[in-house]
Amino acid sequence: MTGTSAMYDLQTIGDTLAILGLQADYARAADSFDPARYAEVFTEDGILDASHCGFAVAVGRVDIAETMGNAFRQQTHNIHMTMNQRVLSVEGDRATGFAYFFQRSILKNGGRTEFCGRYDDEYVRTAEGWKIRRRVLVELLPTVMEGYDIA
């Protein structure tokens, strides 16, 4: 599948639905404060690049879980929404796509975070199913990190 082709085979439709389900699993893990579950949507060597807001690029499930664990420990409430999702191409065991997102959290210290942007994604089919190989957060509105400790 490439672009807006009107013809899709059943494999491509199934792959697209599985990738869109992966997006929902990602958001659910974030809203559940579950860093291990969050990291499981990535490949073992997956990359989470949120460097636009001061985070180090996290590489691998362990690093991703540690990075998100630090974030989740600071939060009392969180909402994460993905929308306008599109799988751009599926070619064999690789795919690309994007989704727009909005995330807001309230921190234990009274601070708050807000992120609004787009995920630019690379996906890979693994023995565990489709996983995110690389996710780059592209900032579309100014990021708010009042009281957040990046450490």
Side-chain angles (χ1 to χ4, degrees):
M1 178 178 92
T2 304
T4 58
S5 172
M7 299 298 292
Y8 300 103
D9 60 54
L10 289 177
Q11 181 66 50
T12 300
I13 292 168
D15 290 339
T16 299
L17 290 172
I19 291 167
L20 294 176
L22 186 64
Q23 297 278 21
D25 292 344
Y26 174 93
R28 175 85 185 229
D31 291 345
S32 300
F33 304 108
D34 188 339
R37 189 169 161 195
Y38 183 100
E40 286 174 8
V41 303
F42 289 85
T43 59
E44 287 289 340
D45 61 349
I47 298 166
L48 175 62
D49 182 350
S51 58
H52 77 274
C53 58
F55 290 93
V57 175
V59 179
R61 285 182 177 165
V62 171
D63 195 19
I64 292 168
E66 288 174 1
T67 297
M68 296 313 299
N70 178 54
F72 298 154
R73 281 188 296 277
Q74 296 181 57
Q75 300 171 350
T76 61
H77 297 82
N78 186 61
I79 184 70
H80 181 276
M81 296 172 280
T82 55
M83 61 218 88
N84 303 331
Q85 303 168 25
R86 177 84 168 152
V87 176
L88 294 172
S89 68
V90 177
E91 297 181 18
D93 291 338
R94 299 197 174 274
T96 61
F98 66 86
Y100 288 85
F101 70 91
F102 176 77
Q103 181 274 336
R104 184 172 187 187
S105 65
I106 298 171
L107 304 180
K108 292 176 182 176
N109 66 9
R112 69 186 177 101
T113 65
E114 284 186 13
F115 302 93
C116 183
R118 184 184 68 242
Y119 297 129
D120 287 337
D121 293 334
E122 297 173 15
Y123 310 100
V124 176
R125 185 193 329 262
T126 70
E128 301 172 301
W130 284 99
K131 299 291 180 184
I132 299 169
R133 168 67 181 105
R134 180 180 184 86
R135 170 160 277 185
V136 177
L137 283 67
V138 178
E139 182 180 49
L140 297 178
L141 292 175
T143 296
V144 175
M145 295 183 65
E146 296 172 3
Y148 184 83
D149 180 12
I150 282 187

